[in-house]
């Protein structure tokens, strides 16, 4: 179905001026929808990844409600229902949703400076503080076992045992590298079983999911698809993973891509609003969290490469292997600093 007809189901009386692709997420396809009054974000939901797309919108509504109750100062975007009052529009077995666009917002694909990293990390810590102060938010799991690293490692071992494809020959060193650092995974599992409580976390805090104003101050945190109950160190680690990478995630260069100045800035910002929320055990394990999340991400890209690119969007053969190499390079960079 044509995009305008799809949009029409959410905005029946509205004239659409322009629809253009935006963002560079690896999962959904995203479009900016401009009308004469407001702008919106249309997304074609990847329902292989999010098998129950309605959960995404139900969670989004609950999160907005919870944050509004605690007078959250950042902008929130509201999901728009269809003219039949549905959360998702389904046509040809495809799932679509529409959300308000946050006006006058600027996104960055790369962190421009340690100051920006500090501000963004502070913003995430503010989000943690607010979302965890409303004790009544109960979210549905949009992707089961998303932060279960035992399962992640199990997926890796399964893929590693059935190396039937020519692709396996292309990644011998990467497979060895991941296996060599399995102890990181074991340590994480041990920590989880000790005393790492679950809190509500974002689980995808990349820099492009933080919107800024023209003065480079954060004004919103978006992409609430994976907001879930899990270990807060996941968010620290994933932010470190995404912010400190000097290269694009699919850049094959083997130059050192880890930015230590940015890393220090993230560490400083992360406790700004949520110091009282974190236990000494969690605070002691920031460096470890950064490494394990990079390790897991390398593994996820590698597993997807071996399985034939079924999870992450890819635009050329081998892109997921390049992504895995890029993460391994980042992890090596972190290790040089003795993190
Ligand atoms: C995916 O597409 P995007 O940017 O929302 C992935 C994250 C990964 C990230 C790597 C649901 O995020 O977990 O860290 O790619 N999201 C999902 O760039 O798997
Ligand atoms: Mg996401």
């Amino acid at each position: 179905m044509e995009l305008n007809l799809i949009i029409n189901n959410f905005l029946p009386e509205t004239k659409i001026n322009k629809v253009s692709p935006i963002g560079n997420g690896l999962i959904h396809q995203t479009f900016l929808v401009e009308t004469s009054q407001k702008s919106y974000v249309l997304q074609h939901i990847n329902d292989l990844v999010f098998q129950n797309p309605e959960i995404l919108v139900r969670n989004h509504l609950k999160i907005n409600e919870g944050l509004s109750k605690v007078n959250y100062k950042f902008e929130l975007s509201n999901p728009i229902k269809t003219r039949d009052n549905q959360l998702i529009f389904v046509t040809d077995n495809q799932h679509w949703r529409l959300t308000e666009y946050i006006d006058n917002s600027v996104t960055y694909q790369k962190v421009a400076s340690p100051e920006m990293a500090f501000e963004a990390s502070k913003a995430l810590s503010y989000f943690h503080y607010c979302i965890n102060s409303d004790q009544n938010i109960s979210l549905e799991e949009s992707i089961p076992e998303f932060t279960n690293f035992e399962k992640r490692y199990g997926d890796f071992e399964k893929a590693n045992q059935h190396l039937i494809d020519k692709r396996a020959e292309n990644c011998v060193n990467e497979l060895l590298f991941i296996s060599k650092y399995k102890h990181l995974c074991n340590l994480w599992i041990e920590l989880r079983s000790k005393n790492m409580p679950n809190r509500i976390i974002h689980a995808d805090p990349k820099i492009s999911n933080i919107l800024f104003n023209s003065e480079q101050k954060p004004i919103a945190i978006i992409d609430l698809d994976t907001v879930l109950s899990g270990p807060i160190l996941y968010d620290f680690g994933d932010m470190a993973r995404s912010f400190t990478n000097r290269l694009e995630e699919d850049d094959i260069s083997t130059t050192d891509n880890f930015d230590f100045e940015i890393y220090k800035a993230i560490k400083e910002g992360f406790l700004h609003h949520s110091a009282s929320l974190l236990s000494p055990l969690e605070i002691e394990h920031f460096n470890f969290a950064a490494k394990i999340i990079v390790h897991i991400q390398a593994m996820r890209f590698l597993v997807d490469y071996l399985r034939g690119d079924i999870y992450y969007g890819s635009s050329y053969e081998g892109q997921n292997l390049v992504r895995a190499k890029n993460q391994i390079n980042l992890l090596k960079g972190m290790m040089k600093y003795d993190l």
Side-chain angles (χ1 to χ4, degrees):
M1 193 184 260
E2 235 191 89
L3 288 181
N4 275 23
L5 292 177
I6 291 166
I7 298 162
N8 202 248
N9 275 277
F10 293 96
L11 305 170
E13 309 296 336
T14 315
K15 184 179 169 299
I16 313 300
N17 293 341
K18 195 176 168 197
V19 183
S20 39
I22 48 162
N24 67 347
L26 306 186
I27 307 289
H28 307 304
Q29 255 182 305
T30 308
F31 303 89
L32 176 67
V33 177
E34 294 169 72
T35 76
S36 40
Q37 294 100 33
K38 280 174 71 116
S39 296
Y40 301 86
V41 175
L42 175 73
Q43 284 189 304
H44 177 225
I45 297 177
N46 182 330
D47 50 20
L48 284 174
V49 172
F50 294 100
Q51 300 198 352
N52 186 343
E54 288 212 346
I55 290 182
L56 298 181
V57 186
R58 280 204 293 272
N59 280 349
H60 190 161
L61 290 166
K62 283 189 205 160
I63 294 164
N64 280 6
E65 197 194 330
L67 290 174
S68 307
K69 271 201 241 159
V70 296
N71 296 321
Y72 184 64
K73 68 175 183 193
F74 286 157
E75 308 267 345
L76 292 171
S77 63
N78 292 305
I80 308 293
K81 291 187 182 168
T82 70
R83 59 179 162 201
D84 302 325
N85 210 27
Q86 301 301 309
L87 302 176
I88 298 282
F89 177 64
V90 187
T91 177
D92 303 326
N93 270 322
Q94 308 293 308
H95 296 82
W96 298 85
R97 71 166 158 199
L98 193 76
T99 316
E100 289 172 327
Y101 174 78
I102 296 176
D103 282 325
N104 304 316
S105 54
V106 186
T107 48
Y108 294 89
Q109 302 307 330
K110 293 258 54 107
V111 175
S113 61
E115 291 71 37
M116 180 187 275
F118 174 70
E119 291 298 332
S121 181
K122 234 168 80 180
L124 184 66
S125 118
Y126 177 66
F127 173 83
H128 287 145
Y129 173 73
C130 292
I131 193 103
N132 285 289
S133 38
D134 178 7
Q135 301 297 329
N136 294 320
I137 302 187
S138 99
L139 300 171
E140 294 169 81
E141 224 176 19
S142 61
I143 303 181
E145 320 243 44
F146 193 68
T147 58
N148 179 345
F149 291 180
E150 243 166 323
K151 177 179 178 298
R152 295 269 184 226
Y153 202 81
D155 289 348
F156 169 72
E157 285 190 321
K158 254 185 255 159
N160 204 0
Q161 273 158 18
H162 299 98
L163 298 175
I164 41 174
D165 198 88
K166 252 201 9 245
R167 283 186 173 210
E169 291 164 22
N170 300 335
C171 54
V172 177
N173 291 336
E174 290 71 28
L175 290 169
L176 281 173
F177 184 90
I178 297 293
S179 305
K180 182 171 163 204
Y181 288 96
K182 183 184 176 183
H183 60 275
L184 294 179
C185 242
N186 294 338
L187 182 55
W188 173 267
I189 292 161
E190 198 186 309
L191 269 178
R192 291 282 282 138
S193 67
K194 266 197 208 158
N195 190 18
M196 255 216 272
N198 280 344
R199 312 173 192 287
I200 302 184
I201 63 167
H202 184 280
D204 191 14
K206 41 170 80 168
I207 192 67
S208 54
N209 282 338
I210 297 174
L211 306 187
F212 291 82
N213 64 14
S214 53
E215 275 116 48
Q216 278 197 5
K217 296 286 182 216
I219 55 165
I221 296 194
I222 57 163
D223 186 358
L224 307 176
D225 289 353
T226 47
V227 173
L228 51 82
S229 171
I232 202 160
L233 285 184
Y234 186 101
D235 271 6
F236 178 81
D238 201 49
M239 184 172 54
R241 181 191 77 74
S242 115
F243 285 25
T244 63
N245 194 344
R246 285 204 196 99
L247 301 174
E248 295 299 324
E249 235 168 46
D250 63 351
D251 191 317
I252 188 78
S253 327
T254 50
T255 52
D256 189 355
N257 53 347
F258 173 62
D259 192 318
F260 189 54
E261 292 308 308
I262 287 185
Y263 183 72
K264 285 193 288 191
I266 294 170
K267 254 182 145 174
E268 229 179 285
F270 196 76
L271 287 174
H272 202 87
H273 295 276
S274 53
S276 57
L277 205 68
L278 272 74
S279 69
L281 184 83
E282 286 170 316
I283 296 173
E284 268 164 36
H285 285 89
F286 279 169
N287 291 351
F288 169 64
K291 286 185 295 190
I292 181 65
I293 300 289
V294 180
H295 181 251
I296 291 286
Q297 189 63 58
M299 196 179 335
R300 290 176 66 193
F301 284 140
L302 201 54
V303 167
D304 200 35
Y305 173 70
L306 290 169
R307 287 179 176 169
D309 312 318
I310 51 180
Y311 188 94
Y312 291 110
S314 74
S315 49
Y316 60 89
E317 164 133 9
Q319 191 174 15
N320 277 313
L321 175 56
V322 171
R323 288 173 176 145
K325 288 184 180 182
N326 172 287
Q327 297 296 305
I328 288 175
N329 203 20
L330 186 65
L331 182 52
K332 287 181 178 165
M334 289 179 166
M335 285 167 170
K336 271 195 213 152
Y337 280 91
D338 215 12
L339 288 198

